[in-house]
Structures are given as C-alpha cells and as structure tokens.
Amino acid sequence: MFVHHVFFWLKNADSEEDKSKLLEGLEKMKAIEGVRTLHIGVPATTNRDVIERGYALSWLLIFDNLEDQVNYQVHPIHKKFVEECSSLWSKVIVYDAVDA
Amino acid sequence: MFVHHVFFWLKNADSEEDKSKLLEGLEKMKAIEGVRTLHIGVPATTNRDVIERGYALSWLLIFDNLEDQVNYQVHPIHKKFVEECSSLWSKVIVYDAVDA
C-alpha cells in the first residue's frame, strides 16, 4: 500500500474562487486510473493543538504500490493539473508513506 | 468520509527500539472497531522538496463520519495507547479532513 497525501495552502487564502478552481482541478484528476482510494478534503471541525487546520484542500490517494504512484505522477492529466493550478497555491506539503 | 492522519516524530529519532514500541502501540489499536481503512506507514523512498520525510511513523484512519472518529478518540484502547506511548514522541501533527 502506498499512501500519497497532499495539503495545499492558497496564495489568496480567503479566495473562494481560487479554492473552487483548485477543487475543480483535483476533481479532473479523478479520471486517472490505478487509484485504490481517493479523497478530496477540507479541514474538519476538530480543533486541538496538534491538529493542522491551515490548509485549504487536501488530496489523498492510496495506491497498491509505488509503481502505480509513479504512473500517476507522470500521467498527462496530473501534469496538466500542475500546469493549470500551481499558480494558485503558496505551499504544498506531501506525505508519502508505505507499509511500516 | 472522515480522514484522520497522524505523523509521529520520535524523541530519540534514531532509536529502533522506541520506533518498535510505538509501532507495537499502533498495532494494538487495530482492535478498535468502526474504522473503514487503516494504514501504519513509514516515509516512502520518494524524495522531492515538497515531501516531508522526517517523521518516524504515520497512522492513517478513515472513518465513515465524525461520530466514528469521536468514538475512536475516547476508546479505552486509544486512551491506553496515548498513556503508554506519548513519552516516545517529540512532535505529533494531525490532519483531520472531511469531504470538500
């Protein structure tokens, strides 16, 4: 199992328009094959010191293995997403985790 | 869908013993009911600027809803885990995400 979890901070943190554009870009990537589990998220209402709530959108993909994740990285739809949407974000943090 | 993703940094970052203890503690929590997807991870081999690789172990739980997550938080097995293992970590970051 390969877990790929991405968190996006927007340049214009209060812009609902930019958030919608980013969401739209992520939605388009649902067409990429080879993904076992997919989730587009926003911060939950839970609020404790250890919880990071500053990001605008999260993007969770679970793959069967590293190879499927590599295929996703080089997929034309993913490349187009980065091209079209990277101007919207100020920060991205990625966590890639494999079985412990 | 409620995604609960936790990343642990160890006080003794190089201690395989402490990492094993933490892993053992996480394994015990697999007995908690109401979890849709569960993954215990370590950083993958992927290595780009945006990828955070400093954590020792990750803990991903996917619940159907907030209520199931609350039940997990107050579950005796979870409480015991925090009691037994919290001395091992120096930092914890939690991302709780719900459907965008």
Side-chain angles (χ1 to χ4, degrees), chain A residues 33-87:
Chain A
E33 59 280 1
V35 177
R36 190 202 280 197
T37 301
L38 185 153
H39 186 251
I40 303 174
V42 291
T45 54
T46 49
N47 201 350
R48 302 189 303 280
D49 280 353
V50 291
I51 300 178
E52 171 59 66
R53 311 184 74 239
Y55 62 95
L57 287 166
S58 60
W59 172 244
L60 170 67
L61 297 180
I62 301 180
F63 301 95
D64 283 337
N65 51 51
L66 172 65
E67 195 189 353
D68 287 349
Q69 192 270 158
V70 171
N71 290 340
Y72 155 78
Q73 288 293 341
V74 300
H75 197 289
I77 297 178
H78 179 240
K79 290 193 167 183
K80 203 175 172 205
F81 164 77
V82 174
E83 206 179 288
E84 289 181 349
C85 292
S86 60
S87 65

Side-chain angles (χ1 to χ4, degrees), chain B:
Chain B
M1 207 155 142
F2 189 106
V3 176
H4 176 69
H5 210 170
V6 187
F7 299 88
F8 298 95
W9 279 255
L10 290 176
K11 259 182 212 161
N12 304 314
D14 299 327
S15 168
E16 283 301 320
E17 195 189 331
D18 284 8
K19 191 174 161 185
S20 294
K21 278 186 201 165
L22 181 55
L23 182 57
E24 206 179 304
L26 292 171
E27 294 278 357
K28 281 183 198 164
M29 287 204 291
K30 286 185 175 177
I32 299 176
E33 59 281 359
V35 177
R36 191 203 282 198
T37 302
L38 184 152
H39 186 251
I40 302 175
V42 292
T45 53
T46 50
N47 201 351
R48 302 189 303 280
D49 280 353
V50 291
I51 300 178
E52 171 59 66
R53 310 182 75 242
Y55 62 93
L57 288 166
S58 60
W59 172 243
L60 170 67
L61 297 180
I62 300 179
F63 300 95
D64 283 337
N65 50 51
L66 172 64
E67 194 188 353
D68 287 349
Q69 193 269 159
V70 171
N71 290 340
Y72 156 77
Q73 288 293 341
V74 299
H75 196 290
I77 297 178
H78 179 240
K79 290 191 166 184
K80 201 173 175 207
F81 165 77
V82 174
E83 205 179 289
E84 289 180 351
C85 292
S86 60
S87 65
L88 298 169
W89 61 71
S90 58
K91 186 172 83 166
V92 171
I93 298 182
V94 177
Y95 295 87
D96 280 349
V98 294
D99 301 354

